[in-house]
Amino acid sequence: MNTFFLCISLGLCFLMFVSFYRCLMGPTILDRLIGVNAIGTKTVVLLLLIGFLYERVDMFVDIALAYGFLNFVAVIAASRYFHKRKGLYESSFKETKEIS
């Protein structure tokens, strides 16, 4: 069973690198925020898998819940900040302006 959780964890880490690529190379701020949120969600699941590996799920559930809450609040705060600055759509708007 530990091998199964280890393989799932490695696959999840690979998917986190794909989301990290979206964070770095996203054409808009929205793409970057979604990438950060996806990394945070995968980290919560990874924490739970680590809890299963160490057979201490009760401790890692608390850590995962706290991390998930912080991830949620951070993404909401960042999206509100960029929405008020009108910076959410600017890079995609500039690209469409250059094309036409």
Side-chain angles (χ1 to χ4, degrees), residues 3-61:
T3 308
F4 174 72
F5 287 136
L6 189 61
C7 290
I8 294 297
S9 298
L10 289 175
L12 202 58
C13 286
F14 173 73
L15 290 175
M16 287 172 78
F17 282 118
V18 173
S19 295
F20 188 66
Y21 175 77
R22 175 51 65 193
C23 265
L24 293 178
M25 301 298 172
T28 64
I29 294 175
L30 280 176
D31 291 330
R32 293 169 194 241
L33 282 175
I34 290 171
V36 168
N37 195 14
I39 289 172
T41 304
K42 288 173 183 54
T43 303
V44 168
V45 175
L46 190 63
L47 281 169
L48 292 174
L49 286 173
I50 290 171
F52 279 117
L53 283 173
Y54 285 117
E55 297 175 357
R56 292 291 312 262
V57 181
D58 52 348
M59 181 178 72
F60 281 93
V61 166

Side-chain angles (χ1 to χ4, degrees), residues 63-98:
I63 296 169
L65 282 172
Y67 187 80
F69 179 70
L70 285 174
N71 179 40
F72 175 73
V73 169
V75 169
I76 293 296
S79 61
R80 284 187 58 125
Y81 172 75
F82 286 118
H83 181 69
K84 288 188 184 227
R85 278 191 56 219
K86 306 286 187 214
L88 281 175
Y89 303 105
E90 280 188 19
S91 59
S92 62
F93 180 71
K94 287 178 186 176
E95 290 172 4
T96 56
K97 206 172 188 182
E98 291 173 0

